[in-house]
Amino acid sequence: MIHKLKWKFIGIANASVFLVLIIVLLNVNLISYHKVTTDAYALLDSIYENDGSIPSQDKQGDYSYQLTPETRFETRYFILTCENGLLTLIGDHIAAVESDDLGDFANFINDKEDGNGMVTWNNMKYAYLRKTKDDGSVEMIFMDCTKRMYASHMTSVYSIYIGLSSMLLFFLILTFFSKKAIAPLVRNMEAQKQFITNASHELKTPLAVISANTEVMEMMDGGNEWTESTKRQVKRMSELVSQLVILSKLEEKKDIVLTDVDFSAQVEELSDSFRSLAETDGITLTSSIAPSLHVLAEERGSHELASILMDNALKYCDQGGSVEVSLQAKGKQVLLEVTNDYSQGKDVDYSKFFERFYREDQSHNSEKKGFGIGLSMASSLTNLFKGKINVNWKDGKIKFSVYLPAYMKKEKDE
């Protein structure tokens, strides 16, 4: 359990950091790309408004792009005009595009609409501005943004490397210090288990003495309602002590050996034994058990698991109600379902049913013989067998479902 707790802590912490990194790096890359494109579009606007040339720094005006004395020398662009189907290239500020390339860029004029955008030509990135003038002619300004886009791309690549290396480093550091991080919780859990074990052993002696004294009193003076009440409470406390010891041992098991268990035979036997108890309480118990279903579990544990669910169903079944036990194959799993009538279960918080000492009856009425430990034990056993347990309520019936891994024929042959 501590091992699982450690890795659960590491998993949650890493997932949280990974999510934060994804959000941060995604925003950094989006901002970087947005900055490159908006600066390019702003410079294109300034070129267009300045009749095809880059304005000098003293004419900064309202241009959102920050002009410098070097801007006109470092910016590579060309202008393409189309008037009455005639293409004209103004390429004094570009070296990569010549008159022979006009056909490629003519497609851009025909395919694009007025506005800004990005195009790729000969593995180079160009930002463009397309404008239709009042006389119907079209002017497109293309500006080389290859280096700027490459820088933005490399920012994305480096951010991925940084993110992955940061995650790996965080994982290693967290794994190294995880024992220290959960140490207080581990000590608390160990103290609780030690307390339960010690308290259980300490309680056995006075309970044995009380039981023996009660039997002596009955032998001397005969039995009465007081001695019967004492015997019932001693039996009840003895059951509680036994369950606490079992639960404590379950949590200490680390390397439990899972073997082939004939679950059909176990459930069938338990159904027969509980049927007589059900009839005594005026409850009808029916079963539908598929034969020869084997699970990968531990024999005593799987028997205890099925027994807990049936016992719980009888305890909390409505007066004169019914209990249904079903066992069937579900793919590579075996499904055990125990259903009982429970008319008062509509507004119950079923998410807490497997918590230790939880009882839906908050009054702790002694007529209900449970202690809130049985379902916690069932959950622990299911986890040991690498299965899954859940509970749901519908139409006045509560159903407990346990999925256990089936013991496959292939496993038997091996």
Side-chain angles (χ1 to χ4, degrees):
M1 183 176 180
I2 294 174
H3 182 72
K4 289 183 178 179
L5 181 64
K6 171 187 171 182
W7 286 107
K8 187 175 182 180
F9 168 75
I10 293 174
I12 293 174
N14 276 280
S16 302
V17 172
F18 178 75
L19 181 61
V20 171
L21 275 176
I22 287 292
I23 295 173
V24 171
L25 295 179
L26 183 61
N27 277 284
V28 167
N29 284 281
L30 288 175
I31 292 172
S32 173
Y33 180 81
H34 178 72
K35 178 63 176 174
V36 169
T37 55
T38 53
D39 283 353
Y41 297 154
L43 187 53
L44 285 172
D45 288 336
S46 67
I47 293 172
Y48 179 80
E49 294 173 8
N50 201 51
D51 298 326
S53 62
I54 297 175
S56 59
Q57 189 177 13
D58 58 352
K59 295 182 179 180
Q60 175 72 45
D62 296 330
Y63 300 136
S64 58
Y65 183 83
Q66 182 62 44
L67 298 173
T68 69
E70 300 297 329
T71 302
R72 62 174 58 194
F73 300 103
E74 65 185 12
T75 304
R76 311 300 292 170
Y77 68 96
F78 66 95
I79 301 172
L80 192 64
T81 61
C82 180
E83 186 174 359
N84 298 324
L86 180 63
L87 293 176
T88 304
L89 172 66
I90 303 174
D92 297 339
H93 301 281
I94 197 77
V97 180
E98 299 178 354
S99 299
D100 296 339
D101 302 315
L102 290 181
D104 295 338
F105 287 92
N107 295 328
F108 293 131
I109 287 182
N110 297 326
D111 296 341
K112 305 298 181 183
E113 297 181 352
D114 285 357
N116 293 315
M118 285 281 180
V119 295
T120 302
W121 180 78
N122 279 357
N123 295 322
M124 298 180 70
K125 295 288 186 180
Y126 291 90
Y128 71 84
L129 171 64
R130 186 184 191 278
K131 292 282 188 179
T132 302
K133 297 183 177 180
D134 295 338
D135 60 3
S137 63
V138 177
E139 182 175 296
M140 287 190 77
I141 305 174
F142 293 87
M143 185 172 66
D144 180 23
C145 291
T146 305
K147 287 186 177 181
R148 298 175 185 178
M149 296 303 294
Y150 179 75
S152 177
H153 170 71
M154 291 310 296
T155 299
S156 301
V157 172
Y158 290 142
S159 66
I160 293 174
Y161 289 152
I162 292 172
L164 291 176
S165 58
S166 298
M167 281 299 303
L168 178 60
L169 181 61
F170 180 79
F171 174 78
L172 294 175
I173 294 174
L174 188 64
T175 303
F176 182 77
F177 289 104
S178 59
K179 288 185 178 180
K180 292 184 178 180
I182 65 172
L185 183 58
V186 171
R187 286 196 297 270
N188 185 44
M189 293 174 62
E190 294 292 343
Q192 286 184 6
K193 287 192 288 185
Q194 189 63 41
F195 171 77
I196 290 174
T197 302
N198 293 342
S200 300
H201 287 298
E202 291 296 328
L203 286 171
K204 285 181 179 180
T205 300
L207 286 174
V209 172
I210 294 172
S211 178
N213 290 345
T214 304
E215 290 178 0
V216 171
M217 290 174 62
E218 286 185 330
M219 292 173 59
M220 295 176 59
D221 303 324
N224 55 54
E225 60 178 308
W226 309 114
T227 57
E228 287 298 323
S229 176
T230 301
K231 288 166 63 178
R232 284 196 302 270
Q233 295 304 321
V234 168
K235 182 180 178 182
R236 178 177 169 83
M237 285 297 297
S238 298
E239 291 176 356
L240 173 58
V241 170
S242 299
Q243 289 186 0
L244 285 172
V245 172
I246 293 172
L247 186 59
S248 179
K249 289 182 178 180
L250 279 176
E251 293 178 343
E252 292 175 358
K253 288 186 177 181
K254 295 180 180 179
D255 301 320
I256 186 172
V257 179
L258 303 181
T259 58
D260 175 15
V261 176
D262 188 347
F263 206 33
S264 293
Q266 285 188 339
V267 176
E268 185 73 49
E269 177 189 352
L270 285 168
S271 297
D272 292 339
S273 61
F274 275 100
R275 189 170 285 112
S276 59
L277 294 175
E279 292 174 355
T280 303
D281 295 333
I283 296 172
T284 303
L285 190 152
T286 59
S287 60
S288 175
I289 302 170
S292 303
L293 293 182
H294 292 243
V295 296
L296 191 62
E298 190 264 335
E299 190 166 2
R300 291 181 59 185
S302 59
H303 186 279
E304 183 69 19
L305 173 60
S307 177
I308 289 171
L309 295 180
M310 293 185 199
D311 181 62
N312 183 79
L314 291 181
K315 287 177 180 176
Y316 291 94
C317 184
D318 293 339
Q319 185 67 33
S322 62
V323 173
E324 302 168 13
V325 179
S326 170
L327 186 69
Q328 56 186 309
K330 284 288 184 180
K332 295 183 179 181
Q333 294 180 310
V334 173
L335 172 61
L336 171 64
E337 293 180 321
V338 180
T339 309
N340 64 274
D341 291 326
Y342 188 47
S343 58
Q344 299 179 353
K346 184 176 182 180
D347 299 319
V348 174
D349 184 4
Y350 292 101
S351 65
K352 298 182 179 180
F353 259 46
F354 300 109
E355 293 181 3
R356 192 180 304 177
F357 300 114
Y358 174 78
R359 292 179 63 189
E360 190 278 323
D361 179 15
Q362 297 299 327
S363 66
H364 296 278
N365 188 344
S366 60
E367 293 180 1
K368 297 294 185 183
K369 300 179 182 179
F371 303 101
I373 298 178
L375 293 179
S376 179
M377 290 173 58
S379 179
S380 296
L381 286 166
T382 305
N383 291 333
L384 283 174
F385 303 152
K386 301 177 182 179
K388 183 175 67 174
I389 184 170
N390 56 57
V391 56
N392 64 79
W393 183 91
K394 184 179 180 182
D395 299 331
K397 291 181 179 291
I398 184 171
K399 179 190 294 183
F400 288 88
S401 303
V402 176
Y403 295 84
L404 295 179
Y407 192 85
M408 310 302 290
K409 292 182 178 180
K410 183 178 180 181
E411 293 172 339
K412 293 180 183 179
D413 295 337
E414 293 176 352

